[in-house]
């Protein structure tokens, strides 16, 4: 009878291999941003803090950190507003209009190293993510005041017009252009100076009143 010899690695060898794999993942994984690496936001964003026509949007899941989120049922960090997001919006400001139409949401978006695609330029999907975020949050302002999670984003048509360089801060805007019943139409854009890098038209459907 032939003898078959199996070379089974010991637990010690398996453990060393696993540790090496984890170390390799940490070394090659794209680094995510944090506030220290981003540097200060653009001056115009801080100017909105003192502008009486704009109101800062405060949300506990954005403002209170990871421990608060875990305690209240969240499973991770916010995809766009989290402190380590690759493309990060630290805060939004609302210029509300009674009745909703004309209400405008403004924020600053930072594109970090984790958003990179081709050599110093950011992935187009990062701009699409921002359009999704600003369209949704603008739609939540259909009364002229922000009512978080009061509806659902159901459609976004996005046009990518100009690439974004890694490390850039851009201005993010959303505006309500029409309201028909529960349907809220929003236009959004991502700009740097006179350059439009991305624009979108989106539709938010508000929840039925209970």
């Amino acid at each position: 009878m032939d003898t078959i010899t199996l070379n089974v690695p010991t637990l010690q060898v398996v453990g060393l291999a696993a540790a090496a794999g984890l170390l390799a993942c940490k070394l090659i994984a794209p680094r995510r941003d944090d506030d220290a690496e981003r540097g200060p936001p653009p001056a115009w964003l801080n100017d909105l803090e003192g502008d009486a026509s704009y109101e800062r949007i405060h949300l506990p899941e954005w403002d209170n950190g990871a421990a608060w989120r875990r305690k209240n049922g969240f499973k991770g960090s916010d995809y766009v507003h989290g402190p380590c997001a690759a493309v990060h919006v630290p805060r939004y400001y609302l210029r509300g209009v009674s009745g909703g139409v004309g209400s405008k949401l403004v924020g600053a978006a930072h594109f970090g190293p984790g958003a990179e695609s081709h050599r110093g330029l950011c992935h187009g999907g990062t701009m699409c993510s921002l359009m999704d975020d600003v369209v949704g949050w603008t739609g939540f302002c259909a009364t002229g005041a922000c009512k978080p999670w009061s509806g659902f984003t159901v459609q976004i048509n996005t046009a990518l017009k100009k690439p974004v360089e890694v490390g850039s801060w851009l201005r993010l805007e959303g505006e309500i252009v029409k309201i028909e019943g529960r349907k809220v139409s929003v236009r959004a854009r991502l700009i740097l100076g006179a350059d439009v890098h991305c624009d979108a038209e989106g539709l938010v459907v508000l929840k039925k009143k209970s």
Side-chain angles (χ1 to χ4, degrees):
M1 178 182 293
D2 294 334
T3 301
I4 300 174
T5 302
L6 298 178
N7 294 318
V8 180
T10 65
L11 288 176
Q12 184 178 12
V13 172
V14 171
L16 288 172
L22 287 172
L23 178 59
C25 289
K26 287 180 177 292
L27 290 174
I28 65 175
R31 187 178 64 181
R32 302 182 74 187
D33 263 355
D34 60 26
D35 291 336
E37 292 176 330
R38 287 189 192 101
W44 59 259
L45 183 68
N46 292 327
D47 291 342
L48 291 177
E49 194 73 42
D51 189 334
S53 64
Y54 282 89
E55 178 184 1
R56 181 173 174 175
I57 303 298
H58 285 282
L59 213 64
E61 54 262 44
W62 296 351
D63 298 340
N64 293 338
W68 187 95
R69 290 176 66 87
R70 287 193 299 270
K71 185 178 178 181
N72 287 274
F74 292 88
K75 304 300 183 183
S77 61
D78 192 281
Y79 190 71
V80 170
H81 301 275
C84 294
V87 56
H88 174 70
V89 177
R91 54 191 185 269
Y92 279 134
Y93 291 88
L94 171 66
R95 187 189 66 196
V97 176
S98 179
V101 175
S103 294
K104 186 175 183 179
L105 201 66
V106 178
H110 182 267
F111 290 76
E116 188 174 40
S117 178
H118 178 68
R119 196 176 297 132
L121 300 177
C122 295
H123 196 288
T126 59
M127 289 191 273
C128 295
S129 295
L130 289 178
M131 293 296 100
D132 185 5
D133 195 75
V134 74
V135 164
W137 281 100
T138 303
F140 297 162
C141 302
T143 63
C146 184
K147 295 186 176 180
W149 316 117
S150 55
F152 309 93
T153 305
V154 298
Q155 184 174 346
I156 303 173
N157 298 321
T158 302
L160 306 180
K161 297 179 176 294
K162 187 174 182 178
V164 176
E165 294 183 1
V166 170
S168 300
W169 281 98
L170 276 73
R171 184 181 178 100
L172 182 61
E173 299 179 345
E175 184 172 354
I176 296 176
V177 294
K178 184 170 63 174
I179 299 177
E180 293 180 329
R182 293 166 52 215
K183 297 179 179 179
V184 183
S185 297
V186 176
R187 286 182 187 157
R189 62 180 188 161
L190 182 68
I191 59 176
L192 181 60
D195 294 330
V196 179
H197 288 256
C198 175
D199 61 26
E201 294 182 351
L203 181 65
V204 175
V205 175
L206 301 176
K207 295 177 181 178
K208 293 181 179 179
K209 294 181 179 180
S210 56

